[in-house]
């Protein structure tokens, strides 16, 4: 039956080639575009997680909605050590966060002030590695700032200059200090570069009167897939108690996940129209194939062949055509993905957009199982449903009628 | 051969047509010399593969002889371009084929008008001539039927009507009665003879059919690409 | 002479389509889906983009803005301009400008008893902001500012929440003064505004313009003059203002909001890519259909040639058939496209993705916009390119050898 089906397909080489190419084209388009989308999501998620946020954050309950100085994690050592032991966790970094006015003498700007642990921070955030001028903190008891590049520009300061910090401490009292700048970072995220200044945790504690407590523990995991198991494990370990919560990156920044979902759903709407166009072409081909073979089928039926066999033959032919087309499309699509994976894919305007949304300026798509299978499987299913119509026609054939017909 | 003779509808001078089929050379026409005069009513018969259809195709300029010369209404076919030939056929030659003669999407009358329309004849004249000729072939009242709504015999009548409507000098018919029963064939032949007698149109048709042969005035028999016999019947 | 009779070509082309209605229908549907897809994609993309542009313009940008030449790069109090003088007022009050407002706008800090946050402190004349920016659209709670001398403060809903304070409570606004000193002053919150984007509610704090001018010690100077202009006149207004104010910076929103422009470009890029993809997919289907149509009509074409029809007419007949299919498909596709846009004319509610849209700075309700040029471009690309794709089958049909064609069943 396989051999028969295969030969039948190639009775009209040109028609078969055209249908096959149409299927392959659609499959290649979907493989490439879905690959592009998935890779850009991965890149966005990775950038969001790795630059500063971390994959999971442990925070006091309510802190995320309203970050207040007085909502704190009071026994940070205990939380840090038990999270670090969970499998899949790369590191857990303590942070204290406040808001203050920074003044350079000629300029004053408000900024987010983050106290970090210079030894664990580099394992959770890429900012320590993105110092553009000067250096990162070299010891935990250093008293100095690193500043975002845009903030430094606005304040008219460079490495070596001093900044005056003026804010409110944990207890509502005045917090003030003057520290030198040792480094300027350029994270690629406009918000961080414009808004953030970091200093070692103990210097932060001294300035804001933290008494050893912190606000957030940022957790880095080995890969994106570890996020949920690690979160469950943190919750199970009991270290959170009543006052702390563990939040995943997509809970911290729900906008990104929704943006991805919106992009994916609107993408699929248009992919589906493409699939419909191609499915029409496939169904058309098989209607023709059935029509021109009416006489032949009728002869076979009169000879005693079962209608079921003929139906299966037609369906098998379409499956063969579809699978060949899809394989060709997957192959071509992968080649396109690999090509752009090397050189990067970009359309005008993407660079500017990327900086704002923490996305890479060019997308370097990668071949992934989902990208290779999602589109082609929908093409397969849609076309196969369509082909059932011509197949049903074979089922209903009346042998005497058909012989007269042609 | 005189110039007057070359003005005859068909003149063939040792026409040969060979086909290459794999390693074998098929001699479809092995050297045919033939003149058909104006107003003749000629039957071309012989077994399958004797060269009837090839001869008709060569005469019509649809096929090009391997050697020899064909003169169609005084024109040397081998020296004409494809589009000159197309124009010559359009103006001077009518065709009737064995089947699939008509354009299925056009009505009987539109099919008859078809060639005239290509000739650029005005709409009113076309319609008038088409209606007249359809009446002549006995299809009055069926002008607006599509070919699928006509019987085989009726379809061939429309085909003959189309072939003669443009007032050609010559009508070539390739087995026009092959798909018809004997009664219908007889009627079609009578009709073509009438056209021949009344309009002076030269008819050449290939056939297997004894009945058709019996009604021809000149009977040419072919065998293996050669003319076997050529006789005038009373 | 054989003529190419257009009437006959048309009759054959249009009737041949109904020879195999199912096949023609599928092809027609494929074309229609293609055009529908291209039209709805452009309508929704333009709609989404429009929300971005409106948001950007509403967000105190306006169509055109006048600023100190260094203000855009470094928006501090020192980079300010004087209130519009006679020459500027002549332009600002001309028919081309619908609304204008002069504002003081400086970076600063808002402090409640408990919390402090970085904000943009904006001093406004509330009457000027009506129909110009979001703050002129009314407020959610409390009262609006009454005039440039109003000493009350308007904050966003989100900011009120962050500050853990309420209407009627006092806050402190702090900024850099004219001489570089810290200027601060206590204010009372009188109203709360509700913006669609949370970022807007967090970033802006409003008070009376004269009050802020006094606090900063800048006399009657302002930071910016922003305006909304008659459609299509923004470049003209910009040129006029630039001539009147050679030392100041006059910019259109396209320069001030490069991100919105960049997103528009990216979206346009993807629209074009999608048009091409649809063309190729439709082209495959159409070429295939035309080949099938020619294949089953081989004998007929042989007959035509035998009778003496010129190849050109056969060629035109096949092209004609594909044109009829394309035009019918295009009509159907455009109708469905228009219906789709009409159906969503009241807006497509994307609240489910609200935070995702906010990430982009887009509103949650998208009103599809069908631009004439998009419709023309989509139709022309798809119809013309698909028609070109049938040249090959038509050429093949015209080139058929009559003898061979006649011998086919």
């Amino acid at each position: 039956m396989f051999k028969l089906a295969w030969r039948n397909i190639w009775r009209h080489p040109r028609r078969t080639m055209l249908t096959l190419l149409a299927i392959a084209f659609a499959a290649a388009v979907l493989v490439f575009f879905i690959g592009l989308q998935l890779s850009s999501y991965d890149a966005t998620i990775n950038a969001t997680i790795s630059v500063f946020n971390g994959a999971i954050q442990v925070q006091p309950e309510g802190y995320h909605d309203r970050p207040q100085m007085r909502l704190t994690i009071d026994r940070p050592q205990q939380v840090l050590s038990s999270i670090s032991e969970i499998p899949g966790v790369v590191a857990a970094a303590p942070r204290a966060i406040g808001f203050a006015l920074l003044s350079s003498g000629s300029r004053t700007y408000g900024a987010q002030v983050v106290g970090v642990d210079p030894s664990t921070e580099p394992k959770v955030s890429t900012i320590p590695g993105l110092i553009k001028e000067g250096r990162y903190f070299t010891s935990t008891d250093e008293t100095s700032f690193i500043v975002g590049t845009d903030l430094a520009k606005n304040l008219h300061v460079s490495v070596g200059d001093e900044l005056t910090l003026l804010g409110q401490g944990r207890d509502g009292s005045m917090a003030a200090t003057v520290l030198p700048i040792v480094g300027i970072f350029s994270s690629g995220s406009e918000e961080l570069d414009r808004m953030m200044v970091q200093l070692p945790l103990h210097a932060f504690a001294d300035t804001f009167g933290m008494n050893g407590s912190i606000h957030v523990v940022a957790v880095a995991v080995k890969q994106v897939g570890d996020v949920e198991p690690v979160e469950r494990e943190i919750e199970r370990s009991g270290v959170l108690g009543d006052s702390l919560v563990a939040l995943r990156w997509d809970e911290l920044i729900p906008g990104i996940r929704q943006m991805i979902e919106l992009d994916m759903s609107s993408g699929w709407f248009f992919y589906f129209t493409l699939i419909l166009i191609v499915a029409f072409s496939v169904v058309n081909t098989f209607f023709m194939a059935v029509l021109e073979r009416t006489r032949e089928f009728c002869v076979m039926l009169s000879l005693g062949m079962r209608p079921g066999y003929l139906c299966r033959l037609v369906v098998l032919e379409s499956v063969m055509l579809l699978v060949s087309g899809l394989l060709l499309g997957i192959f071509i699509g992968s080649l396109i993905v690999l090509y752009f994976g090397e050189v990067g894919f970009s359309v005008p305007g993407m660079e500017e957009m990327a900086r704002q949304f923490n996305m890479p300026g060019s997308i370097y798509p990668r071949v992934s199982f989902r990208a290779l299978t999602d589109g082609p499987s929908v093409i397969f299913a849609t076309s196969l449903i369509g082909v059932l119509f011509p197949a049903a026609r074979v089922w209903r054939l009346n042998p005497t009628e058909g012989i007269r017909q042609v | 051969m005189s110039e007057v003779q070359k003005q005859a509808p068909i003149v063939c001078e040792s026409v040969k047509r060979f086909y290459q089929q794999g390693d074998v050379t098929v001699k479809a026409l092995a050297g045919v010399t033939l003149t058909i005069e104006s107003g003749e009513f000629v039957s071309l018969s012989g077994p399958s593969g004797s060269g009837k259809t090839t001869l008709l195709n060569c005469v019509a300029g649809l096929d090009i002889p391997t050697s020899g010369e064909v003169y169609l209404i005084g024109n040397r076919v081998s020296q004409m371009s494809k589009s000159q030939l197309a124009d010559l056929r359009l103006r001077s030659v009518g065709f009737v084929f064995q089947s699939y003669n008509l354009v299925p999407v056009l009505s009987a009358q539109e099919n008859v008008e078809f060639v005239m329309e290509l000739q650029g004849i005005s709409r009113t004249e076309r319609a008038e001539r088409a209606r007249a000729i359809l009446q002549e072939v006995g299809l009055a009242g069926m002008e607006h039927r599509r070919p699928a709504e006509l019987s085989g015999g009726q379809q061939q009548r429309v085909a003959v009507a189309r072939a003669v409507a443009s007032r050609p000098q010559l009508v070539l018919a390739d087995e026009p009665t092959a798909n018809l029963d004997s009664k219908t064939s007889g009627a079609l032949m009578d009709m073509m003879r009438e056209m021949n007698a009344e309009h002076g149109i030269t008819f050449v048709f290939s056939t297997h059919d004894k009945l058709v042969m019996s009604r021809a005035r000149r009977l040419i028999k072919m065998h293996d690409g050669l003319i076997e016999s050529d006789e005038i019947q009373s | 002479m054989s003529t190419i009779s257009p009437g006959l070509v048309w009759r054959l082309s249009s009737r041949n389509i109904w020879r195999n209605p199912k096949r023609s229908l599928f092809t027609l549907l494929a074309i229609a889906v293609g055009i529908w897809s291209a039209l709805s994609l452009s309508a929704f993309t333009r709609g989404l983009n429009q929300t971005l542009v409106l948001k950007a313009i509403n967000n105190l940008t306006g169509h055109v803005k006048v600023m100190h030449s260094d203000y855009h790069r470094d928006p501090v109090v020192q980079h300010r301009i004087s209130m519009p003088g006679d020459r500027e007022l002549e332009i600002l009050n001309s028919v081309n400008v619908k609304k204008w407002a002069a504002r003081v706008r400086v970076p600063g800090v808002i402090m409640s008893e408990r919390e402090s946050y970085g904000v943009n402190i904006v001093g406004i004349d509330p009457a000027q902001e009506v129909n110009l920016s979001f703050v002129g659209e009314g407020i959610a709670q409390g009262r609006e500012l009454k005039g440039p001398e109003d000493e009350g403060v308007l904050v966003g809903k989100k900011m009120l929440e962050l500050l853990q304070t309420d209407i009627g409570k006092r806050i402190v606004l702090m900024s850099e003064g004219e001489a570089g000193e810290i200027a601060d002053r206590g204010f009372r919150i009188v109203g709360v505004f509700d913006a669609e984007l949370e970022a807007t509610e967090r970033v802006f704090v409003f008070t009376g313009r004269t009050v802020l001018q006094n606090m900063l010690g800048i006399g009657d100077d302002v930071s910016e003059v922003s305006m909304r202009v008659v459609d299509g006149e923004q470049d003209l207004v910009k040129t006029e203002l630039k001539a009147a104010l050679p030392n100041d910076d006059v910019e259109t929103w396209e320069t001030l909001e490069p991100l919105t422009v960049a997103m528009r470009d990216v979206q346009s890029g993807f629209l074009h890519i999608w048009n091409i993809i649809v063309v190729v997919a439709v082209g495959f289907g159409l070429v295939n259909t035309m080949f099938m149509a020619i294949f089953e009509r081989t004998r007929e074409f042989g007959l035509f040639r035998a009778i003496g029809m010129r190849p050109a007419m056969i060629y035109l007949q096949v092209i004609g058939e594909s044109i009829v299919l394309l035009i019918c498909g295009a009509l159907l596709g455009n109708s469905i496209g228009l219906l789709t846009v009409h159906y969503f004319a009241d807006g497509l509610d994307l609240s489910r993705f609200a935070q995702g849209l906010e990430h982009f700075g887009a509103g949650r309700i998208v009103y599809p916009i069908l631009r004439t040029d998009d419709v023309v471009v989509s139709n022309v690309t798809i119809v013309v390119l698909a028609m070109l794709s049938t040249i090959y089958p038509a050429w093949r049909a015209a080139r058929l050898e009559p003898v061979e064609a006649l011998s086919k069943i």
Side-chain angles (χ1 to χ4, degrees), chain C residues 7 61 92 137 142 177 187 260 287 313 394 404:
Chain C
T61 302
L92 290 174
E137 285 165 15
F187 289 87
T260 309
V287 170
M313 216 170 127
E404 277 170 50

Side-chain angles (χ1 to χ4, degrees), chain B residues 2-232:
Chain B
S2 77
E3 283 307 308
V4 178
Q5 265 178 316
K6 282 184 188 168
Q7 289 303 318
I10 298 171
V11 175
C12 296
E13 290 176 356
S14 14
V15 172
K16 294 181 182 170
R17 181 71 176 97
F18 301 156
Y19 296 105
Q20 202 66 32
Q21 264 185 359
D23 295 338
V24 190
T25 305
V26 181
K27 296 183 175 177
L29 293 177
V32 171
T33 300
L34 174 71
T35 301
I36 291 174
E37 300 291 347
S38 186
E40 281 198 275
F41 196 69
V42 183
S43 143
L44 207 55
S45 65
S48 290
S50 60
K52 305 183 299 273
T53 304
T54 311
L55 182 58
L56 281 181
N57 285 340
C58 286
V59 164
L62 295 171
D63 202 350
I64 293 140
T66 314
S67 71
E69 283 295 344
V70 173
Y71 296 85
L72 181 59
I73 318 180
N75 296 281
R76 195 170 166 187
V77 168
S78 62
Q79 286 182 339
M80 293 174 82
S81 72
K82 280 191 177 181
S83 43
Q84 283 175 322
L85 271 171
D87 285 341
L88 180 63
R89 285 198 296 269
L90 182 65
R91 270 186 286 110
S92 314
V93 186
F95 285 89
V96 180
F97 295 100
Q98 165 176 342
S99 58
Y100 296 102
N101 253 311
L102 305 176
V103 183
V105 294
L106 299 178
S107 70
Q109 184 172 337
E110 285 171 327
N111 263 291
V112 176
E113 285 184 34
F114 189 79
V115 178
M116 293 190 273
E117 199 166 347
L118 289 177
Q119 286 176 332
I121 293 169
S122 79
R123 179 192 292 263
T124 41
E125 194 187 339
R126 274 193 332 243
E128 211 170 288
R129 269 160 70 173
R131 265 198 299 275
I133 204 120
L134 278 170
Q135 188 155 19
E136 209 173 320
V137 300
L139 290 175
M142 298 191 185
E143 290 91 346
H144 299 296
R145 293 205 187 168
R146 294 270 179 107
E149 296 161 336
L150 296 169
S151 71
Q154 289 169 331
Q155 286 187 29
Q156 289 303 77
R157 278 160 185 266
V158 177
V160 172
R162 183 196 59 206
V164 299
S166 55
R167 296 181 185 157
Q169 299 181 36
L170 170 69
V171 170
L172 297 173
D174 190 8
E175 310 234 13
T177 59
N179 292 331
L180 304 178
D181 59 54
S182 57
K183 198 176 152 213
T184 325
S185 301
L188 191 75
M189 287 312 295
D190 288 344
M191 200 192 83
M192 292 207 284
R193 262 192 98 142
E194 223 169 279
M195 298 280 171
N196 172 249
E198 263 178 43
H199 303 289
I201 299 169
T202 311
F203 275 81
V204 179
F205 42 89
S206 69
T207 189
H208 272 103
D209 195 339
K210 287 267 158 26
L211 180 107
V212 174
M213 287 182 238
S214 71
R215 304 205 180 197
R217 272 201 298 273
R218 179 173 172 191
L219 188 60
I220 300 172
K221 285 191 176 157
M222 291 190 69
H223 192 75
D224 288 344
L226 289 167
I227 294 179
E228 200 180 44
S229 69
D230 183 349
E231 54 200 45
I232 309 287

Side-chain angles (χ1 to χ4, degrees), chain C residues 26-47:
Chain C
F26 279 127
T27 314
L28 199 141
L29 282 177
I31 298 165
V33 169
I35 289 196
W36 172 61
S37 162
L39 287 191
S40 5
L41 180 66
S42 60
F44 283 100
T45 309
R46 300 292 184 202

Side-chain angles (χ1 to χ4, degrees), chain C residues 162-395:
Chain C
L162 290 170
L163 291 169
Q164 302 173 68
T165 180
D166 217 335
I167 293 180
K169 295 266 176 65
R170 292 189 68 84
I171 46 99
V172 173
L173 292 183
M174 200 153 77
S175 181
E176 197 182 337
E178 203 274 325
E181 82 289 357
I182 299 283
D184 58 356
R185 213 204 114 153
F187 289 87
R188 198 174 291 280
I189 299 177
V190 296
V192 175
F193 63 86
D194 189 357
E196 205 176 321
L197 302 185
E198 217 180 81
T200 308
E201 294 178 6
R202 228 176 31 223
V203 168
F204 295 111
V205 171
F206 296 94
T207 185
R209 187 174 67 210
T210 315
V211 179
L212 190 56
Q213 282 167 335
N214 292 341
M215 171 181 137
L216 299 170
I218 54 173
D220 200 26
D221 288 352
V222 292
S223 308
E224 62 185 32
V225 175
S226 164
M227 71 212 71
R228 195 168 275 227
V229 300
V230 174
D231 280 347
E233 299 295 352
Q234 74 182 32
D235 289 322
L236 177 74
V237 172
K238 178 187 162 176
T239 318
E240 285 177 357
L241 283 169
K242 189 68 207 165
L245 302 161
N247 295 322
D248 291 341
D249 196 6
V250 184
E251 298 294 355
T252 60
W253 68 270
E254 277 125 334
T255 320
L256 298 168
E257 304 282 345
L259 188 67
T260 309
V261 176
M263 284 173 77
R264 189 182 61 187
D265 293 349
V266 170
Q267 287 165 347
S268 293
F270 276 105
L271 278 186
H272 288 135
I273 295 177
W274 188 253
N275 268 343
I276 301 290
I277 289 173
V278 168
V279 168
V280 176
V282 168
F284 272 120
L286 193 63
V287 170
N288 213 353
T289 303
M290 293 325 289
F291 268 124
M292 290 191 242
I294 290 164
F295 179 78
E296 69 183 16
R297 242 176 278 156
T298 306
R299 242 200 93 94
E300 193 176 311
F301 289 134
L303 176 76
F304 286 157
R305 292 295 304 282
I307 287 173
M309 191 188 264
R310 287 286 190 88
M313 216 170 127
I314 292 175
Y315 179 86
L316 286 179
Q317 195 186 317
V318 175
I319 294 275
E321 189 173 338
S322 65
I323 290 180
V324 175
L325 274 177
L326 272 166
I327 289 178
C328 294
L331 285 178
L332 185 64
N334 280 300
S335 319
I336 309 175
L338 287 175
L339 281 179
T340 312
V341 171
H342 184 74
Y343 181 80
F344 288 108
D346 293 335
L348 175 65
D349 192 346
L350 293 175
S351 299
R352 198 154 74 81
F353 304 109
Q355 282 165 307
L357 289 161
E358 166 140 13
H359 213 78
F360 267 109
R364 55 193 72 174
I365 296 190
V366 173
Y367 301 93
I369 298 171
L370 208 49
R371 278 175 24 180
T372 325
D373 57 338
D374 284 337
V375 177
V376 172
V377 168
S378 302
N379 276 288
V380 168
T381 353
I382 293 172
V383 174
V384 171
L385 288 185
M387 214 176 78
L388 288 180
S389 73
T390 59
I391 285 181
Y392 178 62
W395 180 74

Side-chain angles (χ1 to χ4, degrees), chain A residues 9 12 21 54 106 114 131 152 161 164 185 188 202 210 215 313 317 345 347 354 365 405:
Chain A
I9 295 178
H12 289 280
L21 283 176
S106 62
V114 183
I131 302 289
D161 291 347
T164 308
F185 66 85
H202 86 98
M210 295 302 291
H215 292 113
L313 185 67
E317 286 173 22
F345 178 86
V347 295
Q405 204 175 48

